[in-house]
Amino acid sequence: MASSHSSSPVPQSNSRDAFFKKEMDSAKRFRPVQSLPDVCPKEPTGDPNSLDDSPSLVADQHRWTIYHSKVNLPAALNDPRLAKRESDFFTKTWGQDFVDTEVAPSFYLPQINKENFALYQQEIIQREKIHERCKNICPPKDTFDRTLLHTHDKSRTDLEQVPKIFMKPDFALEDSLTFNAVLPWSHFNTSGGKGNRDAASSKLLQEKLSHYLDIVEVNIAHQISLRSEAFFHAMTSQHELQDYLRKTSQAVKILRDKIAQIDKVMCEGSLQVLRLSLTRNNCVKAYNKLKLMATVHQTQPTVQLLLSTSEFVGALDLIATTQEVLQQELQGIHSFRHLGSQLCELEKLIDKMMIAEFSTYARSDLNRPFEEDCQILEEERLISLVFGLLKQRKLNFFEIYGDEMIITAKNIIKQCVVSTVSQIEEIDTEVVVKLADQMRMMNFPQWFDLLKNIFSKFTIFLKRIKATLNIIRSVVLLVLDKNQRTRELEETSVQKNPAKDNAVDTEVAYLTHEGMFISDAFSEGDLPSVAVDTTSQRNTSPSSEPCSSDSVSEPECTTDSSSSKEQMPSSVIPGGVEMMISEDLKLTDLELEKLANNIQELLYGASDICHDRSVKFLMARAKDGFLEKLNSNEFVALSRLMEGFILDTEQICGRKSMSLRGALQSQANRFVNRFHEERKTKLSLLLDNERWKQADVPAEFQDLVDSVSDGKIILPEKKAGAAEERKPTDVLIVEEQKYAVVGTVLLLIKIILEYCQCVDNIPSITTDMLTRLSDLLKYFNSRSCQLVLGAGALQVVGLKTITTKNLALSSRCLQLIVHYIPIIRAHFEARLQPKQFSMLRHFDHITKDYHDHIAEISAKLVAIMDSLFDKLLSKYEVKAPVPSACFRNICKQMAKMHEAIYDLLPEEQTQMLFLRINASYKLHLKRQLAHLNVVNDGGPQNGLVTADVAFYTGNLQALRGLKNLDLNMAEIWDQKR
């Protein structure tokens, strides 16, 4: 084998135990890939560098080269320097005309000798010395790289002559296409006339293939020569490697023996124990799985048993648990492939049964007798139904209860009417068939008792509805609270144990990957709460029936409901029933809050239903004007009954219902109109028949006036027989003042007090009553003015004249009304809203009108005497006898005036009236004296006048109550300056 010209790229091993290591020299580590040198040197091609490619006999005589090889038979056979190849070496390539001649030297190139390089040698001699010194310091670089690079390029050029088909990895002569491409059949076809030419072509093909073979073999030999040193080194190191492997094999054998002994002594028993334990666990799992299958097999009979006792929640929990078990732990079991769909159909059936059961419950609860004291009917049954409906997300079940409420409210009124009509003998039910017509035949006491009965039953009806809806709403709020607390606990646990959860998840993932059940890997006490699998929780039976003795023992046979109750926190319903809230009520907080609000609205709706039915009942009775014909006491009783029912419903339901209140207000307005019209008509008739004479005051009217004390209007109770023993009085005593009044005013006072009492009984009509009372007072004032001052009584009643006594009596009646106006105002003010106080201005206007009317009456009395003075004094003559006839007549008329009004008007008013009359008298007397030219000169005429005036003064002061009256008669004389 040939060796390379440079050192081997594989370093020698320094020790016998060391392995081959790569050289750390970076230049040699990254040596470029080079092709192997050709085995046989080629002929000169004109390249001067190619002359240096052949080995040197001088330099390489002591080195082993490829030329020393005696085993390279192809290289020896294909030596181009042999004589047999020299004859046609060039002609076979360049043609038959090629002649090997010596090339003549060029005439254009000068002859180069050694002297031409003398200057160059002098210039580089110093550089050469430095170069030699550097070579001694640094080892010379391997020139083999350059040689290899050149050789590589040469080899690549040679290999490119070989067709690519020979280089394909799938080259196979068995392939017909490949074979035809390499050896065309035409070269072997000797049947034609061109035999010699074909033979020459075949020979040429053979030589071409031989040339390709030579190129490949030369390249292979060159590559082997490059790797020869490493190959021989590997052969020498093989013995050391075999010794090392022998020792390693012995050490491994000893180690295996020791491990086998340790395994037999220390591990085999423990592993056997673990193996048996795993086998036992597998057996237990198989047993539990069979037991679970036996329990699941009993699901449908158990559900039917629960449904027979209306245990819908337990049946739904059992179905949900069974479906979960089928999906998680019994998935893929062929015998249960149809059980899931059967349970789904059974669940749909339970939904329909629960809705029907809830409808039956609502009907039974609302239609039970009202004599029962129990507020809630079968509370546990109701709670169970509500939980079942919530579990199935049937959130519109309250609408069923609302429909039953409407039907029951109609039936309550119908039953009450039928019951009442059956007790009244005057109503023939065979003749009058319709209930509405039968009801209209009742009188007020009968109808009032019927309405009271309806209201009382409606009150009980609403209380029962409230109790039932409170239970339903409490269940909904309980579920809502449980959801919120569960969410808070989950958030708290996630925040506290994030690392623990991660560790559990990692371990669970490992166990799942190993194919083990999580419930088998952890004990129930060691497993964290967040990683508990449903397998360990459902090893108990979901059936409530005892299982067979051959599959499950009696202590292990438990119901699913009991196992689920152990896992669910208990909550107490306000009714006292403890319920277990299952974890699978997957309702959002928004849905639960909306449901709770709808239930509350349903209670408000119950109140509206009762009010609406009551309004229809009232309207049915009011069709013939029955309610408008009620007297005050009857309507007040009806109003109080309705107000009481309205307040009761507001207290029960917590919200005002306006329908019945609006109907009451409408009837109250009609009542007020009729009430006012009746009293106004009555007052008008009284005034039209009033003769304006002083009337006796019966004791009942005096008691009525006495009841109005301290500004408070309180009507006295009628006492039978007490008023007959007491005789009427001449005047009405009000706060120690005597009022001479006519009979109309007495009745007007009673009417006014009736208005005030009606306001107390029906507060909603206060504003209407105030307006009507104002109208009534204005009417009395205007009408009395027309009859007395306007002399309307002359035509209406037939009076001959309006006397001073009529005028004084009218004034005193007006003063009595004015006395009561502030009390009436305070009474209404206490019952009005602050924003309605502006209506009180009506009383101020009425007071002013009454005062003006009283002043007009006083002026009328003065005007009567004034006309009398003008008539008498105009004929007065100052002459004897004294007193004159004129003054005697004046004193007579003054006495009649005093006699007419003194018993009617208070003394102060009488004095004020006579002072005004006296002033009128002095004015007329003064005018007459001035006309007669009588002066205060002490003469005879002055004496006569003084005597007449003294007679007038004496007579006037002699009247009752006028003794101390200051007449100041000196004013009749003109005062001379």
Side-chain angles (χ1 to χ4, degrees):
M1 299 296 289
S3 62
S4 64
H5 299 283
S6 62
S7 60
S8 174
V10 182
Q12 298 291 336
S13 176
N14 296 326
S15 62
R16 58 195 306 264
D17 295 333
F19 293 101
F20 294 104
K21 298 182 180 179
K22 294 183 179 181
E23 186 179 3
M24 299 305 293
D25 190 356
S26 60
K28 295 182 179 181
R29 182 186 306 167
F30 300 102
R31 179 176 298 172
V33 178
Q34 300 172 347
S35 62
L36 296 176
D38 199 354
V39 176
C40 300
K42 297 182 179 180
E43 291 80 2
T45 59
D47 187 2
N49 293 330
S50 63
L51 298 176
D52 297 334
D53 291 341
S54 61
S56 176
L57 297 177
V58 178
D60 298 336
Q61 60 180 341
H62 300 293
R63 293 181 58 188
W64 189 91
T65 65
I66 58 174
Y67 299 104
H68 294 114
S69 176
K70 302 301 182 182
V71 296
N72 193 353
L73 183 59
L77 294 178
N78 293 294
D79 188 358
R81 291 174 293 180
L82 296 179
K84 68 175 182 178
R85 299 295 297 271
E86 290 180 355
S87 61
D88 61 350
F89 182 78
F90 295 104
T91 57
K92 69 178 181 181
T93 304
W94 295 334
Q96 298 292 331
D97 297 334
F98 177 78
V99 178
D100 189 7
T101 60
E102 186 177 356
V103 180
S106 175
F107 298 102
Y108 300 99
L109 295 178
Q111 293 293 329
I112 303 300
N113 52 23
K114 191 173 182 181
E115 285 75 11
N116 295 112
F117 297 96
L119 182 61
Y120 173 73
Q121 288 179 352
Q122 291 177 2
E123 291 178 357
I124 68 171
I125 188 169
Q126 185 66 27
R127 297 179 184 178
E128 186 178 3
K129 291 180 181 179
I130 296 173
H131 175 68
E132 291 296 333
R133 187 165 55 251
C134 292
K135 286 178 64 177
N136 295 331
I137 297 174
C138 300
K141 293 184 178 180
D142 191 2
T143 59
F144 185 64
D145 290 343
R146 184 165 50 86
T147 304
L148 288 179
L149 181 60
H150 175 72
T151 306
H152 175 69
D153 294 337
K154 180 182 178 182
S155 301
R156 177 176 295 176
T157 304
D158 294 340
L159 287 175
E160 289 178 353
Q161 299 178 11
V162 181
K164 301 298 181 181
I165 191 171
F166 294 102
M167 304 299 178
K168 291 184 178 180
D170 56 348
F171 177 78
L173 289 176
E174 292 83 358
D175 187 6
S176 60
L177 296 178
T178 304
F179 185 83
N180 292 330
V182 175
L183 298 175
W185 286 101
S186 61
H187 294 173
F188 301 97
N189 187 6
T190 57
S191 60
K194 298 180 181 180
N196 295 331
R197 184 177 179 182
D198 293 339
S201 299
S202 299
K203 183 177 179 181
L204 181 61
L205 177 62
Q206 183 178 3
E207 291 179 358
K208 186 188 297 184
L209 294 176
S210 299
H211 179 63
Y212 295 158
L213 178 62
D214 294 342
I215 293 173
V216 173
E217 287 178 350
V218 168
N219 278 276
I220 291 174
H222 181 64
Q223 294 294 332
I224 292 174
S225 66
L226 291 179
R227 304 292 187 270
S228 60
E229 187 175 353
F231 173 74
F232 288 114
H233 178 74
M235 294 300 295
T236 57
S237 301
Q238 185 176 6
H239 297 289
E240 296 179 0
L241 182 60
Q242 290 178 354
D243 294 338
Y244 180 76
L245 291 175
R246 189 181 303 108
K247 292 179 180 180
T248 302
S249 176
Q250 293 176 358
V252 170
K253 183 178 180 182
I254 295 172
L255 181 60
R256 284 182 175 179
D257 293 339
K258 290 181 180 180
I259 291 175
Q261 292 178 2
I262 293 174
D263 180 52
K264 183 176 181 180
V265 175
M266 300 183 65
C267 301
E268 186 175 353
S270 301
L271 289 176
Q272 182 66 18
V273 171
L274 294 177
R275 194 175 297 109
L276 293 176
S277 177
L278 184 59
T279 303
R280 181 182 180 279
N281 289 338
N282 290 336
C283 293
V284 171
K285 286 194 297 182
Y287 169 73
N288 290 335
K289 191 74 67 175
L290 292 174
K291 183 172 65 174
L292 187 60
M293 291 175 62
T295 304
V296 170
H297 184 66
Q298 296 295 324
T299 298
Q300 289 179 321
T302 306
V303 169
Q304 294 175 359
L305 180 61
L306 292 173
L307 293 180
S308 64
T309 58
S310 298
E311 289 291 339
F312 299 106
V313 177
L316 290 173
D317 288 339
L318 179 57
I319 291 175
T321 305
T322 304
Q323 288 179 338
E324 189 174 355
V325 170
L326 288 174
Q327 294 175 0
Q328 294 182 358
E329 301 179 21
L330 299 180
Q331 188 175 8
I333 295 180
H334 187 72
S335 59
F336 289 150
R337 63 187 183 279
H338 300 303
L339 183 57
S341 59
Q342 293 174 357
L343 293 178
C344 291
E345 294 298 328
L346 192 58
E347 189 173 359
K348 295 179 181 179
L349 176 62
I350 293 176
D351 292 346
K352 297 179 181 179
M353 292 179 64
M354 283 194 300
I355 294 175
E357 184 72 14
F358 186 78
S359 300
T360 304
Y361 174 84
R363 196 175 302 109
S364 302
D365 178 53
L366 297 175
N367 292 308
R368 55 196 169 105
F370 291 94
E371 292 78 14
E372 295 182 6
D373 296 332
C374 180
Q375 289 288 338
I376 302 174
L377 178 66
E378 298 180 11
E379 183 176 354
E380 295 181 0
R381 176 187 173 193
L382 172 62
I383 295 172
S384 176
L385 283 172
V386 173
F387 270 112
L389 293 170
L390 291 179
K391 183 181 180 66
Q392 296 303 107
R393 301 181 65 85
K394 302 296 181 181
L395 304 183
N396 58 345
F397 64 90
F398 63 91
E399 297 177 358
I400 300 174
Y401 199 83
D403 296 338
E404 291 295 334
M405 286 193 309
I406 297 175
I407 297 173
T408 305
K410 294 180 180 179
N411 293 334
I412 288 175
I413 295 180
K414 183 176 180 180
Q415 292 173 1
C416 291
V417 172
V418 171
S419 177
T420 304
V421 168
S422 62
Q423 298 175 1
I424 301 175
E425 298 179 355
E426 293 82 0
I427 300 176
D428 190 357
T429 57
E430 295 181 357
V431 178
V432 183
V433 180
K434 293 184 179 180
L435 286 177
D437 297 336
Q438 295 174 0
M439 179 190 63
R440 295 188 186 98
M441 297 180 66
M442 299 179 187
N443 54 30
F444 178 77
Q446 295 171 344
W447 182 82
F448 185 78
D449 292 338
L450 173 61
L451 183 62
K452 186 186 296 184
N453 185 25
I454 291 174
F455 283 167
S456 63
K457 289 188 176 181
F458 271 160
T459 303
I460 300 173
F461 175 67
L462 289 176
K463 289 180 179 179
R464 289 180 177 178
I465 292 175
K466 181 179 181 181
T468 302
L469 293 182
N470 281 343
I471 293 296
I472 298 175
R473 192 166 185 269
S474 299
V475 172
V476 175
L477 295 178
L478 196 63
V479 176
L480 176 61
D481 181 66
K482 179 63 171 58
N483 288 349
Q484 294 175 351
R485 285 190 286 109
T486 303
R487 186 168 57 253
E488 291 175 358
L489 290 176
E490 290 177 354
E491 294 175 356
T492 305
S493 62
V494 169
Q495 293 175 359
K496 288 183 177 179
N497 301 319
K500 187 175 181 181
D501 292 342
N502 294 334
V504 171
D505 292 340
T506 303
E507 190 166 5
V508 169
Y510 168 74
L511 293 172
T512 306
H513 176 70
E514 292 296 324
M516 299 175 64
F517 285 101
I518 297 176
S519 57
D520 299 326
F522 297 101
S523 62
E524 189 172 353
D526 297 335
L527 185 63
S529 59
V530 294
V532 175
D533 191 78
T534 55
T535 307
S536 59
Q537 298 178 1
R538 292 200 174 92
N539 286 334
T540 57
S541 169
S543 173
S544 61
E545 295 180 353
C547 303
S548 58
S549 59
D550 57 348
S551 61
V552 182
S553 59
E554 185 174 355
E556 294 176 341
C557 183
T558 58
T559 62
D560 177 75
S561 59
S562 63
S563 63
S564 61
K565 287 181 180 180
E566 293 175 0
Q567 301 171 15
M568 293 183 294
S570 63
S571 304
V572 180
I573 303 300
V577 180
E578 293 186 359
M579 291 296 298
M580 301 298 171
I581 303 177
S582 60
E583 298 293 343
D584 55 351
L585 289 178
K586 301 302 181 181
L587 296 173
T588 62
D589 293 351
L590 181 62
E591 290 175 335
L592 292 172
E593 291 174 357
K594 183 178 179 180
L595 180 59
N597 293 334
N598 289 336
I599 293 173
Q600 186 64 37
E601 290 294 332
L602 186 60
L603 180 60
Y604 299 153
S607 175
D608 294 338
I609 290 171
C610 293
H611 282 221
D612 293 341
R613 302 312 304 179
S614 300
V615 169
K616 290 184 178 180
F617 179 77
L618 289 174
M619 294 299 102
R621 190 66 183 92
K623 282 186 176 180
D624 54 354
F626 172 77
L627 299 180
E628 298 177 3
K629 299 176 183 178
L630 299 179
N631 57 38
S632 300
N633 294 330
E634 291 174 345
F635 189 82
V636 167
L638 176 61
S639 176
R640 287 180 176 178
L641 178 63
M642 295 174 67
E643 285 286 349
F645 176 69
I646 292 172
L647 294 177
D648 290 341
T649 55
E650 290 177 359
Q651 184 178 4
I652 294 171
C653 301
R655 190 179 72 170
K656 293 182 178 180
S657 296
M658 303 307 298
S659 57
L660 186 58
R661 192 182 295 274
L664 176 60
Q665 185 65 38
S666 176
Q667 293 298 327
N669 293 335
R670 295 178 183 178
F671 168 75
V672 168
N673 292 331
R674 185 181 56 81
F675 180 88
H676 176 66
E677 292 300 329
E678 287 180 355
R679 279 146 185 80
K680 188 175 181 179
T681 303
K682 183 178 180 180
L683 179 61
S684 177
L685 293 175
L686 290 173
L687 288 173
D688 290 342
N689 294 312
E690 182 60 57
R691 303 189 66 83
W692 298 101
K693 293 182 179 180
Q694 183 178 359
D696 294 334
V697 180
E700 60 173 322
F701 286 97
Q702 185 62 52
D703 294 339
L704 185 66
V705 171
D706 294 339
S707 65
V708 184
S709 60
D710 299 331
K712 296 181 180 180
I713 299 177
I714 302 175
L715 296 180
E717 296 181 359
K718 294 183 178 180
K719 298 180 180 179
E724 297 178 358
E725 298 176 357
R726 298 165 56 187
K727 294 181 179 181
T729 57
D730 295 334
V731 294
L732 184 67
I733 300 175
V734 180
E735 295 181 0
E736 299 181 355
Q737 288 190 14
K738 297 180 180 180
Y739 286 88
V741 294
V742 296
T744 301
V745 173
L746 292 176
L747 293 176
L748 178 61
I749 294 296
K750 185 178 180 180
I751 290 172
I752 291 173
L753 296 182
E754 286 178 354
Y755 273 81
C756 296
Q757 186 65 32
C758 191
V759 169
D760 289 338
N761 295 329
I762 312 175
S764 61
I765 61 175
T766 302
T767 55
D768 292 338
M769 278 296 184
L770 189 150
T771 305
R772 302 301 194 281
L773 181 57
S774 301
D775 180 67
L776 187 70
L777 293 175
K778 291 178 181 179
Y779 177 76
F780 173 76
N781 183 41
S782 61
R783 187 60 177 164
S784 61
C785 181
Q786 293 173 3
L787 292 173
V788 179
L789 283 178
L794 299 179
Q795 291 82 17
V796 175
V797 185
L799 295 179
K800 295 180 180 181
T801 183
I802 302 297
T803 63
T804 55
K805 193 169 186 177
N806 298 138
L807 292 172
L809 192 60
S810 174
S811 176
R812 196 55 175 162
C813 289
L814 293 174
Q815 292 173 19
L816 179 62
I817 301 300
V818 170
H819 172 77
Y820 279 107
I821 286 178
I823 299 175
I824 299 170
R825 176 193 173 101
H827 182 82
F828 277 90
E829 184 177 3
R831 288 152 182 82
L832 287 175
Q833 299 293 333
K835 61 183 179 180
Q836 299 173 338
F837 285 166
S838 60
M839 299 183 67
L840 298 174
R841 68 181 183 275
H842 295 299
F843 293 110
D844 299 334
H845 298 161
I846 292 171
T847 302
K848 182 178 179 302
D849 293 341
Y850 271 68
H851 281 300
D852 294 342
H853 191 182
I854 294 171
E856 289 177 4
I857 293 175
S858 299
K860 183 66 175 178
L861 292 173
V862 174
I864 292 173
M865 297 304 297
D866 184 77
S867 62
L868 179 64
F869 292 149
D870 184 33
K871 179 180 179 181
L872 295 176
L873 290 176
S874 63
K875 299 177 182 181
Y876 173 65
E877 295 179 356
V878 182
K879 62 181 181 178
V882 178
S884 63
C886 178
F887 273 78
R888 286 198 299 269
N889 195 8
I890 288 174
C891 289
K892 182 180 178 181
Q893 295 298 328
M894 294 284 282
K896 287 182 178 181
M897 171 69 74
H898 180 270
E899 182 181 1
I901 66 174
Y902 183 77
D903 294 333
L904 301 178
L905 299 178
E907 186 175 343
E908 296 80 5
Q909 293 184 19
T910 303
Q911 293 177 357
M912 292 297 298
L913 181 61
F914 274 90
L915 284 176
R916 293 177 63 184
I917 293 173
N918 181 61
S920 176
Y921 164 75
K922 289 188 294 182
L923 181 62
H924 285 283
L925 180 59
K926 183 178 180 180
R927 186 182 303 120
Q928 185 64 23
L929 292 176
H931 177 70
L932 297 174
N933 294 322
V934 177
V935 295
N936 188 14
D937 56 358
Q941 289 184 340
N942 179 261
L944 292 175
V945 172
T946 303
D948 287 338
V949 170
F951 174 76
Y952 166 79
T953 304
N955 279 278
L956 187 59
Q957 291 180 344
L959 298 176
R960 290 181 297 174
L962 303 180
K963 181 179 181 181
N964 300 324
L965 194 65
D966 185 11
L967 301 179
N968 193 13
M969 297 305 295
E971 294 179 354
I972 64 175
W973 307 105
D974 290 334
Q975 301 294 331
K976 295 181 180 181
R977 298 177 180 177

